[in-house]
Amino acid sequence: MSYNAIKKVIDLGDGRTIEIETGKLAKQADGSVVVKMGNTMLLATVVSSPEAKEGIDFLPLSVDYQEKYAATGRIPGGFLRREARLSDYEILISRLVDRALRPLFPEDYHADTQVMISLISADKNIMPDALAGLAASAALSVSDIPFNGPISEVRVAKIDGQLVINPALSDLERATLEFIVAGSENDINMVEGEADEIQEEEMVEALKFAHAAIKDHCRVQKELTEEVGKTVKRTYSHEHSNEDLKQQVYAATYDKVYEIAGSGSSKHERHDKLKEVRDAFIGTLGEIDDVTKSLAKKYFHDVEYDAVRNLILDENKRLDGRSLRQVRPIWSEIDYLPAAHGSAVFTRGETQSLTSVTLGGKDDEQMIDGAFLNGYSKFMLHYNFPGFSTGEVRPNRGPGRREVGHGNLAMRSLKKVLPPEDQNPYTIRVVSDILESNGSSSMATVCAGTLALMDAGVKLAAPVSGIAMGLITDEKTGKYAILSDILGDEDHLGDMDFKVTGTAKGIVACQMDLKINGLSYEVVTEALAQAKEGRLHILGEMAKTISEPREDYKPFAPRIVTLKIDKEFIGAVIGPGGKIIQEMQRETGATINIEEKDNQGIVQIFADHKDAIDAAVARIRAIAAKPEVGEIYEGKVRSIMPFGAFVEIMPGKDGLLHISEIDHRRIETMDGVFEVGEIVKVKLLDIDKQGKLKLSRKALLPRPPKPEAAPKQQEEKKD
C-alpha cells in the first residue's frame, strides 16, 4: 500500500531540524501530523464536530497531551501496568497548548473540538513539551477546521550566556532563564517559565529571540496547508443574532452599567447590582422564548465588557476605585497554625491564602514515574481552590487542571530561592488553601508560601512576591491601560493576564496569556516595569510581618542530620538483610536512610527529638569510623592467645595487644591477665600495610621509677 505522505522540514540553523509529516497516520481524523525531532516523535490529531450543540455560546475545546511509556522503552508502574489518568506533567503541557490555541479560534465557532497529542517515541535528551504546540497547530493547519493560526511554541533558554531555541535537556541545568513561548507570525500570546533573578530587559530580549523562531515555524505550516489543499475552511453558523434586541439592551442598560462599574463597589455587591439591571431589562420584554432570553444575557455581557473597558480607558478608573498602578491593601500573619512546622495567612484585597509548610525526611520525597521524566522530588507545592472561595457551591473532586497549573507557577517561583540541597536536608511540602478569591490567587500563594517558609526556618536566599498585571486596549484609537494587581473581572473582561514573580534583585518566574493581536514589545516592557514597582511594594508589605527566615526550626519540627561515610562502610551500617540499620531505628526511634552518592555514603538521620538523633549518630560513627594511629580507645577483649590478646576497638576492628605491650614489667604468661569480654583501654601504635592494628596498654601506664643502685656500685663509681 502506498501513502501520499507530505513532509516539511524546519531548519533550526545549527544542524538540527524538525520534520512535520501528514498523510500517513490517523487519516480519519479531521487533521493529523507527526512531528519529529531526533528520535522524539509526536502524533497530533484534531477532530471537530460538524455542528455545535444547542445553547452553547463558547468553544468546547479539549486538549490532551499523553506520553506512551513504550516511547521510552518502559512499562508503566502501578497495579494496572497501563497508561492511566494524565500526570501533572502531562496536564501542564496540555495547558500550554490549550492556552496558545484557544485565542486563535473564531469567537463565534462553538463546535466540540478535541486536540490529542501523543508522545510515541522519545529521545531522552530532546524535550517533547516544546514541540507539542507546533504539532497541534500543524494538525489544525491540515484540517478544514476554522482557525486563525498557525501558531507554534518553542523553548528559549540562555545557556552559557547565549540564547538557544529548544536546547537539549542535558544543557538546561546551566540555563539562567527558561521560557516556553507561543505565538503566531504577528504576535506572542503565551509565555511561561522561570529564571535566575533576571532583569526585565533580558526577558524581553528572550521573547524577541523566541518569536523569530516561531515566525519560521508558522511559515512552514502555511506551506504545508497549501500543499495539502486545506486553505479553504468549513463554513459554520453557530450563533443566533438579533440586532434590534442588541440595540435595545445597549440603550436601556449601558449608562446604568457604566455607573455601577464606576461606583467602587465590592465584588459581590457589584454582581448583585448588575444582575438586577439585567433581570429588570429582561422583565420588560414580556413573554419571550429561550433563544431571545439567552441573546439578551449575551448582549448584556457585551455591555459589561464595553462599559468596564471604557471606564478604564476614558477615566483611568477601575472597578474598585483604585488607580491603574495601585495595589490593593495587604495584611499578613505568620505562625497562624500552632501545630504546623510553618504557616502564614496572606490577604490582598478580596484574595486570601492560608499556606502551611511541612518538613519531612527522605522517605517523604515524591516519586515521579512518568514516561519521559522519572525520579524523586524534594519540593512539592499543592494549590487548592474550593468553591466557597468565590461563594459558589461546587463539589470537591480533587485538583483540576487550573489548580495544577497555578500550583506549578508558585512552585517554580519558590523553588528558585530554596537553599541548595547540601544545605537543606528536608523534603518540603507547601500547601496553599485559597479561602477567598478575586484576582490572582496564584500570586497570593507565592507571597504566602514565602512567609510560611520563612516562618518554618527554611533559609530562603531571598523573599519572593508576585503580581498579576492586566491590559485594556482599544485598537481603533490606539489607547491602552496597564493595570497592576488585577481583579477577577478585570482578568475576564481584559486583554492580558501577565503574572510576574521575583525577588528584589529580579524576575524568577512568569506566566502570560494574551487575548488580542498586535501587542508591541514597548507595551510588554512597560508592563514589566510596572510589575516590578508592584512586586517591590508587596515585598515591603511582607517584610512588615517577617523579613528573614527564623534562626531555627520550630521546637516540634523534625530534625535531620546528614553524615558522610566512606563507601566501604555502607554495607556495615545496613548489615546483613538490613539487620543493623533496622535495629538502630528500633532502639533509637530515629529514621535512617543511606545511599551512595559521589562515591560516598550519605546517611540521613531523621527524628522528632535530639536524643534520638544523637544516639543514632553515635552508633553510625562507631561503625563507620576509621582507626587513627595515636588515638586511645576503650576496647573489648575478644580472644586470648599465648602471645597476647585481640581487642575490638571498633565494631569489626580488632587489634593485637601483644604480651610485651600489656605492662612495663615482663609478663611470662597470659594466664589470668585478662578475661574475654573485659574492657581495656589501649592506644593504637601502628597500622601495617596489611591493615593489621598494633595496640599498646603499656603506653598508657605511668613508667615505674628506676631501681636505686647498690651502695658498693655507688662507691666504685666515686673511685
Side-chain angles (χ1 to χ4, degrees), residues 432-671:
S432 171
D433 290 301
I434 303 303
L435 307 185
E436 287 186 70
S437 181
N438 184 11
S440 195
S441 52
S442 63
M443 297 296 92
T445 296
V446 172
C447 300
T450 294
L451 295 173
L453 285 165
M454 292 197 293
D455 178 52
V458 177
K459 303 301 184 287
L460 300 184
V464 181
S465 68
I467 190 169
M469 308 297 295
L471 179 70
I472 305 293
T473 61
D474 185 340
E475 293 185 20
K476 295 178 181 177
T477 64
K479 292 199 298 186
Y480 67 90
I482 298 171
L483 313 179
S484 295
D485 180 25
I486 56 175
L487 302 170
D489 286 341
E490 291 171 338
D491 179 9
H492 174 64
L493 301 172
D495 300 320
M496 177 179 78
D497 181 10
F498 193 178
K499 300 180 177 75
V500 188
T501 70
T503 67
K505 289 183 179 178
I507 296 169
V508 296
C510 77
Q511 184 183 91
M512 179 172 72
D513 293 304
L514 285 174
K515 308 170 190 174
I516 58 163
N517 299 323
L519 182 67
S520 69
Y521 286 107
E522 289 74 20
V523 175
V524 173
T525 302
E526 187 179 339
L528 283 169
Q530 193 166 318
K532 180 178 181 179
E533 176 187 298
R535 283 194 349 255
L536 295 177
H537 166 75
I538 295 169
L539 280 173
E541 294 298 304
M542 292 164 60
K544 295 176 182 177
T545 301
I546 184 171
S547 58
E548 57 187 25
R550 290 183 185 272
E551 286 295 322
D552 195 10
Y553 305 111
K554 301 286 181 69
F556 46 83
R559 303 290 162 147
I560 294 181
V561 169
T562 301
L563 301 178
K564 292 182 180 180
I565 63 174
D566 285 348
K567 177 183 174 182
E568 64 188 88
F569 292 115
I570 294 177
V573 172
I574 295 172
K579 179 181 177 182
I580 302 299
I581 196 169
Q582 289 172 11
E583 181 181 287
M584 283 192 289
Q585 290 183 116
R586 184 172 59 254
E587 294 181 358
T588 65
T591 300
I592 304 170
N593 286 285
I594 185 167
E595 62 179 342
E596 184 182 335
K597 191 174 182 180
D598 299 330
N599 216 29
Q600 284 186 309
I602 308 298
V603 184
Q604 190 182 81
I605 307 164
F606 179 90
D608 290 332
H609 53 91
K610 187 174 183 295
D611 291 344
I613 293 272
D614 291 344
V617 167
R619 295 184 64 163
I620 291 169
R621 282 180 171 160
I623 295 172
K626 281 188 171 182
E628 295 185 23
V629 173
E631 287 294 313
I632 298 169
Y633 300 93
E634 285 191 352
K636 181 182 290 187
V637 177
R638 287 297 187 189
S639 61
I640 299 173
M641 300 293 178
F643 51 83
F646 284 98
V647 179
E648 185 183 53
I649 62 170
M650 291 179 178
K653 295 291 182 182
D654 293 353
L656 175 62
L657 177 58
H658 193 268
I659 192 170
S660 64
E661 291 293 335
I662 294 175
D663 206 324
H664 290 289
R665 64 184 175 84
R666 181 180 176 82
I667 297 175
E668 299 294 340
T669 176
M670 290 297 295
D671 293 342

Side-chain angles (χ1 to χ4, degrees), residues 338-354:
H341 298 157
S343 65
V345 179
F346 179 86
T347 305
R348 187 190 60 245
E350 295 173 300
T351 298
Q352 184 178 74
S353 168
L354 171 61

Side-chain angles (χ1 to χ4, degrees), residues 163-275:
L163 290 171
V164 182
I165 296 296
N166 293 354
L169 177 60
S170 57
D171 292 332
L172 279 180
E173 294 179 358
R174 308 194 309 277
T176 56
L177 66 81
E178 176 199 347
F179 298 121
I180 293 282
V181 182
S184 64
E185 276 189 313
N186 299 320
D187 306 292
I188 287 174
N189 68 353
M190 194 280 299
V191 180
E192 177 146 350
E194 59 190 65
D196 293 344
E197 297 180 294
I198 63 170
Q199 299 306 303
E200 285 70 14
E201 297 78 14
E202 192 173 354
M203 180 175 171
V204 173
E205 177 191 18
L207 297 183
K208 290 180 178 179
F209 188 80
H211 197 200
I214 288 169
K215 290 177 181 178
D216 194 41
H217 293 194
C218 293
R219 176 186 57 78
V220 172
Q221 288 180 75
K222 284 187 173 181
E223 294 173 1
L224 180 65
T225 301
E226 292 178 0
E227 289 190 36
V228 173
K230 292 292 183 179
T231 54
V232 178
K233 303 299 181 180
R234 68 179 67 166
T235 57
Y236 62 94
S237 179
H238 294 164
E239 290 191 348
H240 297 285
S241 62
N242 186 330
E243 194 61 32
D244 290 339
L245 178 61
K246 183 176 183 179
Q247 296 300 324
Q248 278 184 266
V249 174
Y250 266 78
T253 65
Y254 180 87
D255 290 341
K256 295 175 183 177
V257 171
Y258 191 94
E259 182 180 352
I260 293 170
S263 65
S265 304
S266 68
K267 172 184 173 181
H268 289 293
E269 184 183 359
R270 182 171 62 253
H271 286 185
D272 289 344
K273 289 179 179 178
L274 290 172
K275 186 176 182 297

Side-chain angles (χ1 to χ4, degrees), residues 6-21 33-38 130-139 141 150-154 165-166 183 210-224 227:
I6 299 174
K7 184 182 293 186
K8 302 294 291 184
V9 177
I10 299 171
D11 187 351
L12 296 181
D14 55 5
R16 298 176 300 153
T17 59
I18 300 173
E19 297 178 3
I20 308 174
E21 183 182 74
V33 299
V34 172
V35 170
K36 183 173 186 287
M37 181 177 176
L131 302 172
L134 168 62
S137 175
S141 296
I151 61 98
S152 187
E153 289 179 347
V154 299
I165 296 296
N166 293 354
H211 197 200
I214 288 169
K215 290 177 181 178
D216 194 41
H217 293 194
C218 293
R219 176 186 57 78
V220 172
Q221 288 180 75
K222 284 187 173 181
E223 294 173 1
L224 180 65
E227 289 190 36

Side-chain angles (χ1 to χ4, degrees), residues 306-358:
D306 288 340
V308 171
R309 294 167 66 89
N310 289 338
L311 174 74
I312 293 171
L313 289 173
D314 296 341
E315 300 186 31
N316 285 341
K317 190 175 180 181
R318 300 170 65 176
L319 290 172
D320 57 0
R322 281 181 293 151
S323 67
L324 302 185
R325 309 175 79 96
Q326 188 176 352
V327 176
R328 287 172 289 174
I330 292 170
W331 72 263
S332 57
E333 180 180 341
I334 59 169
D335 205 18
Y336 183 77
L337 304 174
H341 298 157
S343 65
V345 179
F346 179 86
T347 305
R348 187 190 60 245
E350 295 173 300
T351 298
Q352 184 178 74
S353 168
L354 171 61
T355 295
S356 62
V357 170
T358 306

